[in-house]
Amino acid sequence: MSLIGLTEQEARTRLLTEGSNSLPSEKEQSLFQVIFSVLKEPMLLLLLGAGVISFLLAELVDALLLMATVVIVIGISIIPRAKNRKSAPRPT
């Protein structure tokens, strides 16, 4: 290796063996994928389970409050992601 850098041949060889020097781009998630990823969190699963059990035990007020909490948490999780998506520059 020299102080000048890679030769054309070395650069071509490394490009073929190593690949291009770029960061992988993330796929943009749809709204349903974001909601599903939020719903997989253990605390929300616990809230959903408690809401279902409350509903089955005929505790409708408790069940509705638990489900409303789940909806609020989903909303709080989605809003910042939507703002980031709008403000982040898109690669061209």
Side-chain angles (χ1 to χ4, degrees):
M1 192 153 111
S2 67
L3 295 175
I4 299 170
L6 298 176
T7 64
E8 287 289 327
Q9 181 60 34
E10 284 178 302
R12 267 190 240 109
T13 305
R14 286 191 186 188
L15 182 61
L16 291 174
T17 58
E18 307 284 330
S20 65
N21 189 15
S22 62
L23 294 174
S25 61
E26 279 188 32
K27 292 182 181 178
E28 202 169 301
Q29 289 184 328
S30 70
L31 179 64
F32 295 111
Q33 289 173 326
V34 173
I35 290 172
F36 186 68
S37 69
V38 171
L39 284 175
K40 289 192 305 187
E41 294 178 14
M43 186 56 89
L44 276 184
L45 290 175
L46 183 65
L47 285 172
L48 282 171
V52 168
I53 290 171
S54 294
F55 182 75
L56 292 175
L57 293 175
E59 297 290 336
L60 294 179
V61 175
D62 291 343
L64 289 175
L65 286 173
L66 287 167
M67 294 304 167
T69 304
V70 169
V71 170
I72 290 169
V73 169
I74 290 172
I76 288 172
S77 298
I78 289 175
I79 291 171
R81 290 183 188 190
K83 286 182 180 179
N84 286 341
R85 193 178 302 166
K86 287 181 184 177
S87 66
R90 292 196 172 181
T92 56

